[in-house]
């Protein structure tokens, strides 16, 4: 039994209405968290795929991480659907796992025949340029956030498990050796304590920011940890402009005046680089010439 809930089905009802009027879009892009691939054992993705196939469209599902374009870990599932009358070219198969991690691959393998017949994996060329370092996106004196006190910083460090405290010590060594301040992104998460209970932990990484989320509570907002060459550690929340930069938004992009609203805009958004990548690699070629690279299955 297919559960007709969530945002997709009202949206799809509008697409069906447009199709009946002969005004249906030739191309569609649907974005969701990667968990859609494993939701209800893959049944939710299968229901979506069946609806697309029944509309006379073909589709491809790709998992694209925003970390390809910006220093933020943000894996997302993109389902690209196109009018079956657009005839694409056929190319060699994509390397396994490039755009289809195991949960998505398993879900695609379980598609019913009607949906599987409409599925055509795409293999866009990955971007060559690396994302900018996290430190380059930071504001020197943001007006909308305050630095934590020494006591608050000490409390954050005390919440770290040994492995994460080791990351801090390694960052201290890098800062001392390079003379450059090290920037890390910290989340507070609830973890098992090994004794049957649960405890709040502070988890840090210095390569990427964690996935931005809508600010439902204090722990959903990331903390910036700066380790100076002398070993001094400072901490504050990421500013509204910084989270916008983590989404790839330019500084001239006008943000809401409210910090919470600006953070929500970022947490609900699509990384600009990912949208541009889809447009340049898939959507525009298909619309302009009716030709796009599709892998053999």
């Amino acid at each position: 039994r297919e559960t007709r809930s969530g945002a997709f089905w009202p949206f799809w009802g509008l697409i069906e209405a447009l199709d009946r009027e002969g005004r249906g879009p030739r191309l569609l892009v649907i974005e969701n968290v990667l968990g859609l691939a494993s939701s209800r054992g893959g049944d939710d993705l299968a229901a979506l795929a069946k609806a697309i196939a029944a509309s006379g469209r073909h589709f491809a599902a790709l998992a694209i991480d925003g970390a390809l374009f910006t220093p933020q870990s943000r894996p997302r599932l993109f389902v690209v659907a196109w009018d079956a009358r657009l005839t694409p070219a056929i190319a060699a198969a994509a390397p396994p796992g490039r755009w289809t991690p195991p949960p998505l691959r398993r879900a695609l393998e379980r598609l019913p025949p009607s949906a599987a017949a409409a599925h055509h994996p795409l293999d866009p060329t990955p971007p060559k340029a690396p994302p900018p370092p996290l430190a380059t996106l930071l504001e020197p004196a943001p007006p909308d956030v305050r630095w934590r006190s020494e006591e608050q910083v000490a409390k954050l460090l005390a919440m770290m498990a040994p492995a994460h405290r080791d990351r801090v010590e390694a960052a201290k060594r890098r800062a001392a050796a390079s003379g450059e301040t090290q920037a890390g992104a910290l989340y507070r998460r609830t973890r098992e304590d090994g004794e049957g209970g649960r405890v709040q932990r502070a988890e840090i990484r210095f390569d990427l920011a964690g996935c931005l989320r809508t600010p439902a509570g204090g722990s959903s907002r990331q903390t910036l940890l700066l380790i100076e060459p002398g070993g001094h550690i400072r901490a504050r929340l990421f500013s509204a402009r910084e989270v916008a930069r983590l989404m790839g938004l330019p500084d001239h992009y006008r943000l809401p005046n409210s910090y919470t609203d600006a953070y929500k805009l970022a947490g609900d958004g699509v990384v600009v680089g990912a949208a541009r990548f889809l447009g340049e690699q898939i959507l525009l070629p298909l619309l302009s010439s009716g030709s796009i690279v599709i892998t053999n299955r």
Side-chain angles (χ1 to χ4, degrees):
R1 185 176 66 86
E2 297 175 4
T3 302
R4 297 267 169 169
S5 61
F8 173 75
W9 295 111
F11 160 77
W12 194 249
L14 296 175
I15 298 299
E16 290 176 321
L18 289 172
D19 286 346
R20 289 192 294 271
E21 296 174 4
R23 299 190 295 127
R26 291 186 295 163
L27 275 178
L28 291 167
V29 180
I30 301 163
E31 180 262 0
N32 210 308
V33 297
L34 193 53
L36 175 63
S38 54
S39 175
R40 296 198 306 131
D43 287 350
D44 286 334
L45 182 61
L48 183 151
K50 286 169 61 178
I52 291 173
S55 75
R57 292 177 172 88
H58 292 166
F59 75 96
L62 305 88
I64 302 176
D65 195 336
L68 291 171
F69 315 96
T70 183
Q72 179 197 171
S73 173
R74 195 176 185 84
R76 287 294 185 269
L77 175 62
F78 293 89
V79 178
V80 182
W82 60 92
D83 191 311
R85 290 170 293 185
L86 297 175
T87 306
I90 304 297
R98 175 183 282 179
W99 306 112
T100 51
L104 177 56
R105 192 156 57 248
R106 288 192 293 269
L108 293 174
E109 290 170 352
R110 294 182 64 249
L111 290 178
S114 61
H119 171 239
H120 300 277
L122 299 184
D123 184 26
T125 302
K128 295 180 179 179
L134 176 61
T136 64
L137 304 188
L138 304 180
E139 292 187 286
D144 52 351
V145 288
R146 295 180 179 180
W147 291 101
R148 303 281 177 87
S149 68
E150 297 287 343
E151 292 76 15
Q152 289 172 323
V153 172
K155 183 178 179 181
L156 283 174
L157 296 175
M159 292 169 60
M160 291 183 180
H164 289 266
R165 188 58 189 263
D166 288 345
R167 294 180 184 178
V168 172
E169 294 303 318
K172 283 184 179 181
R173 294 191 292 271
R174 288 195 301 272
S178 66
E180 297 179 352
T181 298
Q182 303 295 300
L186 180 148
Y187 256 134
R188 285 177 289 159
R189 304 180 188 274
T190 301
R191 301 294 191 191
E192 295 182 0
D193 62 6
E195 299 178 358
R198 308 212 19 118
V199 63
Q200 193 173 58
R201 292 291 190 190
E203 300 182 355
I204 184 80
R205 59 186 302 176
F206 289 90
D207 55 343
L208 299 171
C211 185
L212 293 172
R213 296 179 284 181
T214 54
S219 62
S220 67
R221 305 181 188 191
Q222 290 187 69
T223 295
L224 171 67
L225 208 69
L226 293 181
I227 301 180
E228 298 172 348
H232 184 238
I233 300 177
R234 297 193 295 163
R236 61 169 172 81
L237 292 176
F238 279 87
S239 72
R241 179 54 62 188
E242 287 165 348
V243 297
R245 290 172 179 172
L246 284 170
M247 294 299 294
L249 293 170
D251 283 357
H252 60 75
Y253 186 91
R254 189 172 180 178
L255 296 174
N257 292 328
S258 163
Y259 177 88
T260 299
D261 289 345
Y263 209 112
K264 180 175 175 59
L265 179 147
D268 273 342
V270 175
V271 169
V272 172
R276 183 182 297 116
F277 175 75
L278 282 170
E280 293 175 351
Q281 292 268 343
I282 297 173
L283 307 183
L284 291 179
L286 186 54
L287 285 174
S288 63
S289 65
S291 177
I292 193 172
V293 172
I294 291 184
T295 66
N296 288 322
R297 285 175 291 170

